[in-house]
Amino acid sequence: MIYALSLNPCLDKTAAVPCFSLDAPNRIQVERLDLGGKGVNVARVLLEMAGEGLLMGFDYAGEPVKTAMEKEHIPVWLLPVSGDLRVNMKLRDLETGHTIEINERGAEVSEAQLQQLMDELLRRCRPGDWVSLSGSLPPGAKADTYANLCRSLREKGCFVAVDCDGPALMAALEMGPSLLKPNAQEFFALTGVQASDLPAALAACRKLHAKGVQMICLSRGEEGAVLSTAEGAWECPAADVPALGVQGAGDSMLAGLLIAFSRGYDAPKALRYATAVAGASVMRPGTLLGQKADAERLLQQLPIPRSCF
């Protein structure tokens, strides 16, 4: 079983303007509103690509998460909390292709509510299950929330993937997660190394392996992705597709890795599959995620990842 945890989901409000200006009104040309957040995106991709997965997390006034997930036929276990679902604004400049993001913090949750959710996840998980801990923590959650979950899940024999940043990531590192999935910016914040400098990036990955991190998948945008383990490292180029929407590509890659490893793929094959899944997301506009047919087509076009250890 693959579980996607979503502790701080959001409504993604995506808008586009011809050319963003700080000194004049900006007229929106394209606008959409979608339920989002890293954990939600991972659950969507799991269902689309593999027909499996369970989303676990919090829901808010009016049950917006439950309502949206029911429409998409995504299985959920949700704990109701008071407060409104946060809104994240994404403003895309059509002329430059840049996106400005403005994210709300979200509703506060209590320690008891967090514990109830964690207890339910741990009750359900069995040895050999796969768990994604991704996204920001809600107000009220301590920085070691993911770290504590990672420790407990690893003790149960589960594969644990972590995709977060800041203090939550630093705490989780101490618990030896099975997989980290940083992008270039997150990797630089964590290590001080540019992802474009591949030898230095691989050296930084080896230091993280020495701390107990089993695998690191570093997404490098147009340069593709690298998957590093204690035994070796592999590089796969990005899929050659028009970049219509990069939001959710990293979540798609994480879901692709979880699917691949749960099927018993080795590291190079898992990286190739996850790169195809991410490419299928990039070729769709805004916050829309990839479709299975596109991922399967891209998979046939991608080369076998080369060793770069």
Side-chain angles (χ1 to χ4, degrees):
M1 184 67 175
I2 306 178
Y3 296 89
L5 188 66
S6 178
L7 295 182
N8 201 21
C10 64
L11 280 175
D12 278 326
K13 187 172 185 178
T14 306
V17 296
C19 180
F20 183 75
S21 174
L22 294 174
D23 302 311
N26 292 278
R27 310 293 183 186
I28 292 174
Q29 286 191 347
V30 181
E31 185 175 4
R32 60 178 297 124
L33 194 65
D34 303 287
L35 183 73
K38 284 181 174 293
V40 170
N41 287 340
V42 169
R44 283 189 172 116
V45 178
L46 291 174
L47 181 67
E48 170 65 20
M49 301 296 166
E52 63 176 304
L54 177 70
L55 175 68
M56 298 187 67
F58 296 116
D59 208 349
Y60 305 84
E63 298 185 325
V65 180
K66 178 183 177 182
T67 301
M69 295 296 92
E70 283 181 345
K71 290 180 180 179
E72 299 180 40
H73 308 291
I74 294 175
V76 298
W77 188 94
L78 301 170
L79 181 66
V81 296
S82 59
D84 295 322
L85 181 63
R86 67 189 179 117
V87 176
N88 288 353
M89 180 70 178
K90 294 173 172 57
L91 184 61
R92 183 170 175 82
D93 186 322
L94 296 176
E95 182 175 285
T96 66
H98 294 157
T99 300
I100 301 168
E101 294 192 43
I102 305 172
N103 297 344
E104 294 183 349
R105 295 182 66 237
E108 185 166 348
V109 298
S110 69
E111 185 175 341
Q113 289 166 331
L114 277 166
Q115 191 62 52
Q116 184 178 349
L117 178 55
M118 289 190 292
D119 287 346
E120 181 64 21
L121 174 61
L122 292 168
R123 185 188 70 80
R124 289 171 173 266
C125 285
R126 298 291 183 269
D129 281 345
W130 311 77
V131 185
S132 164
L133 309 179
S134 58
S136 62
L137 295 174
K142 296 180 180 178
D144 63 358
T145 298
Y146 284 150
N148 292 334
L149 264 177
C150 184
R151 181 185 63 247
S152 297
L153 288 165
R154 291 297 307 279
E155 288 174 351
K156 292 199 71 168
C158 298
F159 181 101
V160 185
V162 175
D163 184 8
C164 61
D165 56 18
L169 175 58
M170 299 305 295
L173 284 177
E174 301 302 317
M175 297 301 154
S178 310
L179 171 68
L180 291 184
K181 215 299 301 160
N183 59 29
Q185 294 78 16
E186 292 163 345
F187 189 75
F188 180 78
L190 175 63
T191 65
V193 174
Q194 296 287 353
S196 57
D197 186 347
L198 186 55
L202 291 175
C205 286
R206 288 193 288 272
K207 291 180 180 179
L208 292 172
H209 294 318
K211 291 183 176 181
V213 180
Q214 294 182 16
M215 291 185 283
I216 302 157
C217 183
L218 171 57
S219 52
R220 307 165 71 218
E222 294 179 354
E223 295 180 283
V226 172
L227 182 60
S228 175
T229 73
E231 292 74 36
W234 296 265
E235 181 183 17
C236 187
D240 185 13
V241 298
L244 299 182
V246 298
Q247 303 296 326
D251 306 326
S252 298
M253 178 165 280
L254 176 56
L257 289 167
L258 290 171
I259 293 168
F261 286 127
S262 71
R263 291 174 176 173
Y265 292 6
D266 62 17
K269 188 176 180 181
L271 176 61
R272 186 174 180 229
Y273 176 78
T275 301
V277 173
S281 176
V282 168
M283 63 189 295
R284 302 195 74 200
T287 57
L288 295 177
L289 300 174
Q291 297 178 319
K292 184 177 182 179
D294 290 328
E296 291 176 343
R297 176 175 57 82
L298 294 175
L299 182 61
Q300 300 307 311
Q301 299 173 6
L302 286 169
I304 296 172
R306 71 175 186 88
S307 175
C308 57
F309 189 66

